Amino acid sequence: MSTINDVAARAGVSAATVSRVINVNSNVSPETFKKVTKAIDELNYRPNILGRNLRKTKSERILVILPNISNPFYSEIVKGIEDVANQNGYYVMLCNTDSDLAREEKYIKMLKGQLADGAILMASEMNSDDLAELSKDIPVVQCCEYKEGIPMPHVSIDNELAAYKAVKHLIGLGHEKIAFIGAKNQFLSSSLRKKGYIRALGEAGINFDPDYCDYGDYSYKSGFRIMKQLLKLSQRPTAVFCISDIMAIGAIRSAMEEKLQIPEDIAVCGFDNIYFSKMFKPSLTTISQPMYDLGCVAMDALVNMIENGKAETMHYFLEHELVIRESTVK
Amino acid sequence: MSTINDVAARAGVSAATVSRVINVNSNVSPETFKKVTKAIDELNYRPNILGRNLRKTKSERILVILPNISNPFYSEIVKGIEDVANQNGYYVMLCNTDSDLAREEKYIKMLKGQLADGAILMASEMNSDDLAELSKDIPVVQCCEYKEGIPMPHVSIDNELAAYKAVKHLIGLGHEKIAFIGAKNQFLSSSLRKKGYIRALGEAGINFDPDYCDYGDYSYKSGFRIMKQLLKLSQRPTAVFCISDIMAIGAIRSAMEEKLQIPEDIAVCGFDNIYFSKMFKPSLTTISQPMYDLGCVAMDALVNMIENGKAETMHYFLEHELVIRESTVK
DNA sequence: TATATATATGAAAACGATTTCATAAATACG
DNA sequence: CGTATTTATGAAATCGTTTTCATATATATA
């Protein structure tokens, strides 16, 4: 591959002038411009990004850290990130952690050595102190999951309100025995969604029953398993609110296996509105998260931090929506 | 951020020695080693990747070009790519093209400027000539979709055989009126799968009926729409083979809307075995592609090309499997 | 003991661009 | 017409590493 100096030599100018032509900068005479572009074409020259990056001490990349790219929820967000990154001249690097802190930290370390100009964290395994520390060195935005009380912006929805709305919808349908399939982990969304569930129950004068509360790991299998247990209760619930679509689908298949009709015998509501939710039979009532937009806004915020050195605001809350489908209403 | 020179100064050694310590190279005395690591810790120094990359003229990255990361088929492959890339010290950059050639070519151009050390192409929109040209400059591997007759390795399954097996399965169940929902595009897999369909029919002495053949775009909607039309035929098919799971699911929902029972009234077979296929009700009979492994093998091949300058072989065919589920067998 | 080799280190070059600074030529201004 | 400004260009510095080459010291070998 030819370098800027090869081009300069062939065009009979200096490397500086070639650089000016490449970067459509300033004050290049038309003849020189022509000579240089001709040389560039003849040599099929492409500016070397490694050289450029070093000189500018800018990587022109951003890093996306997430648990699992094959989770449709995250991959849709990544699409939003990628589009906005592109519009702003950034490339996207991917770090799939499999929720392994060590793997995440390996990347974080490299980040400090300018692996990327900034990062978007989804469901990070790091603790608040480390995140706060990181935010001093590198522009970072939290997307969906986030830690509170640290100087790091986040983009998410109002999880408590969303869960509240979902459960209120079930109550509005006449349900009183409403179970909850959540998750026990460090993520704020898990506790907020439970909080919303409890608030809706409380408001309707329904007692919170711990027997109706169980915890999975967002997987199909865990939804399946927990539903089986709920169905064994002497007072079987008539509705279930799950904090993820995948668990909801697992729960539905579980109930179907027991020859129960959805929603007649038991109504199920999910959370996320992944692509598959509307295809599923019965199609899934769920909280729609604006995944693509979450990605876009997170990336927008990150560009802002990178280029202006500071965040415009710490809290971005995007709108969610209750999407009512066959799994709760015939 | 401190540089290698800061560390050198603090440790009272030269930058070269610090570099030796960082790279666990050779011949550093224990005392020096200690001094340097101490200075590194005190300054919280991380080697700058931009400097390192330039000096080595190696980006230590690979680029993955694909139509759509939120397609569960591709995202699972990316996971395989990422894991193997990591094991070999490469970072993964993502290019989501939305099947837009211009977007793809923008990245390809940068590739020539060392944006990455190599690339994996999935369902590229480029023509054979351009791909052949590209393969002269950059190590590139085609994954799943590929062009034949160019000096660029590919990793895929035997699409013709897979389709043949799927259709043979339907024939084995007694079906004779078997429709085909394919795709009309430049991709080899589309024509190969159709070829397999025709071969299975021919072998069973079933006439190929063009009325039973229609083409979608891999989407849920297209599967849905085409099934509607197939059901309007005076001689309605009793089985349908779809070249993607998503279209198969669309087709099933379409038939369900017409009050047909799956598989009693009409059996449906998909292709890919995406994550959702087993969750769907009825669970989907399909050809299982080893998506994760396809990614792993593609990345393995790419590492080989990058580091040894040549491909070991041009053709990698991985095993597929017919997975029989509820959508064809009660 | 004299020489050959191994070990440990530093100075300087190199990777390939961009950018600063200097300067010459061209143009504008009074 | 003389000076000030703008335009166009090149030389050299710079970004932060790694690596080559040179060299001094320590160790091994004969």
Side-chain angles (χ1 to χ4, degrees), chain B residues 164-329:
Chain B
Y164 169 82
K165 279 200 231 165
V167 176
K168 203 161 174 193
H169 161 66
L170 295 173
I171 293 169
L173 293 169
H175 294 284
E176 296 191 339
K177 287 178 281 186
I178 302 171
F180 173 78
I181 300 183
K184 263 205 170 114
N185 53 33
Q186 77 274 36
F187 298 124
L188 211 48
S189 73
S190 306
S191 48
L192 288 173
R193 290 175 196 176
K194 185 173 177 187
K195 221 167 148 184
Y197 161 74
I198 291 175
R199 175 158 71 97
L201 291 188
E203 228 180 78
I206 302 172
N207 269 337
F208 169 76
D209 182 347
D211 281 352
Y212 280 174
C213 232
D214 207 344
Y215 305 95
D217 58 4
Y218 300 101
S219 71
Y220 175 82
K221 276 188 183 162
S222 67
F224 194 93
R225 179 177 45 74
I226 292 169
M227 182 60 122
K228 281 277 148 102
Q229 285 165 356
L230 290 171
L231 296 179
K232 280 187 199 135
L233 294 173
S234 56
Q235 285 278 54
R236 179 176 94 194
T238 63
V240 182
F241 169 54
C242 305
I243 68 160
S244 91
D245 285 348
I246 303 269
M247 286 202 292
I249 288 169
I252 291 176
R253 290 288 320 232
S254 185
M256 281 176 161
E257 209 179 80
E258 301 298 320
K259 307 277 181 242
L260 294 179
Q261 301 277 320
I262 315 288
E264 294 86 344
D265 298 325
I266 189 157
V268 177
C269 177
F271 204 109
D272 287 345
N273 196 27
I274 57 172
Y275 187 51
F276 285 122
S277 304
K278 65 172 181 295
M279 301 187 194
F280 191 66
K281 182 73 190 175
S283 58
L284 201 62
T285 292
T286 190
I287 294 292
S288 177
Q289 292 208 58
M291 294 165 280
Y292 181 82
D293 288 344
L294 284 164
C296 292
V297 172
M299 187 63 215
D300 250 338
L302 185 59
V303 169
N304 223 289
M305 289 175 76
I306 293 172
E307 294 177 2
N308 305 328
K310 60 177 201 308
E312 284 191 345
T313 166
M314 286 293 143
H315 308 281
Y316 295 86
F317 284 103
L318 304 196
E319 292 303 310
H320 61 263
E321 192 189 346
L322 174 65
V323 180
I324 298 169
R325 300 204 187 96
E326 300 165 340
S327 70
T328 58
V329 176

Side-chain angles (χ1 to χ4, degrees), chain A residues 52-287:
Chain A
R52 171 179 293 174
N53 284 350
L54 175 58
R55 173 58 232 232
K56 294 187 159 183
T57 40
K58 190 163 180 193
S59 69
E60 295 180 329
R61 296 184 294 266
I62 67 101
L63 177 65
V64 177
I65 296 183
L66 41 65
N68 185 356
I69 185 63
S70 68
N71 180 322
F73 177 69
Y74 291 122
S75 63
E76 186 66 31
I77 295 174
V78 169
K79 225 175 131 187
I81 292 174
E82 224 244 336
D83 282 347
V84 173
N86 254 266
Q87 287 159 24
N88 289 276
Y90 291 92
Y91 296 99
V92 173
M93 289 189 39
L94 208 62
C95 166
N96 198 99
T97 65
D98 284 319
S99 301
D100 173 8
L101 177 60
R103 196 153 171 181
E104 185 174 347
E105 281 179 335
K106 212 182 93 187
Y107 275 84
I108 295 289
K109 238 177 215 166
M110 301 310 284
L111 214 46
K112 293 185 182 157
Q114 284 206 268
L115 175 64
D117 296 334
I120 293 176
L121 262 43
M122 307 205 254
S124 168
E125 296 286 330
M126 293 171 67
N127 63 42
S128 292
D129 288 348
D130 288 345
L131 287 175
E133 187 61 30
L134 175 61
S135 73
K136 284 184 202 157
D137 297 334
I138 318 274
V140 180
V141 173
Q142 305 174 88
C143 189
C144 299
E145 295 298 348
Y146 62 102
K147 293 273 193 288
E148 275 185 321
I150 56 173
M152 190 184 277
H154 71 91
V155 180
S156 32
I157 65 162
D158 184 337
N159 282 290
E160 197 272 347
L161 179 61
Y164 169 81
K165 279 201 230 164
V167 177
K168 206 165 170 188
H169 161 66
L170 295 173
I171 293 170
L173 293 169
H175 294 286
E176 295 191 341
K177 287 179 281 189
I178 302 171
F180 173 79
I181 301 184
K184 264 204 171 116
N185 53 32
Q186 77 273 40
F187 299 123
L188 211 48
S189 74
S190 306
S191 48
L192 287 173
R193 290 175 197 176
K194 184 172 178 187
K195 220 167 150 184
Y197 160 74
I198 291 175
R199 176 159 70 97
L201 291 188
E203 228 181 77
I206 302 171
N207 269 339
F208 169 77
D209 181 348
D211 282 351
Y212 279 174
C213 233
D214 208 344
Y215 306 94
D217 59 3
Y218 300 101
S219 72
Y220 174 82
K221 275 188 184 161
S222 67
F224 193 93
R225 178 178 44 77
I226 292 169
M227 182 60 122
K228 281 275 149 100
Q229 285 165 356
L230 289 172
L231 296 179
K232 280 186 198 134
L233 293 174
S234 56
Q235 285 278 53
R236 178 176 95 197
T238 63
V240 182
F241 168 55
C242 305
I243 67 162
S244 92
D245 285 349
I246 304 269
M247 285 201 293
I249 288 169
I252 290 176
R253 291 286 319 233
S254 184
M256 280 175 163
E257 208 179 79
E258 301 298 320
K259 306 278 184 242
L260 294 179
Q261 301 277 320
I262 315 288
E264 294 86 344
D265 299 326
I266 189 158
V268 177
C269 177
F271 204 109
D272 287 344
N273 195 27
I274 57 172
Y275 184 55
F276 192 59
S277 302
K278 63 172 183 297
M279 301 185 194
F280 191 67
K281 181 76 191 173
S283 59
L284 199 62
T285 293
T286 190
I287 293 291

Side-chain angles (χ1 to χ4, degrees), chain A residues 13-14 17 20 27 29 32 55 57:
Chain A
V13 299
S14 73
T17 297
R20 287 183 190 105
N27 305 336
S29 77
T32 306
R55 173 58 232 232
T57 40

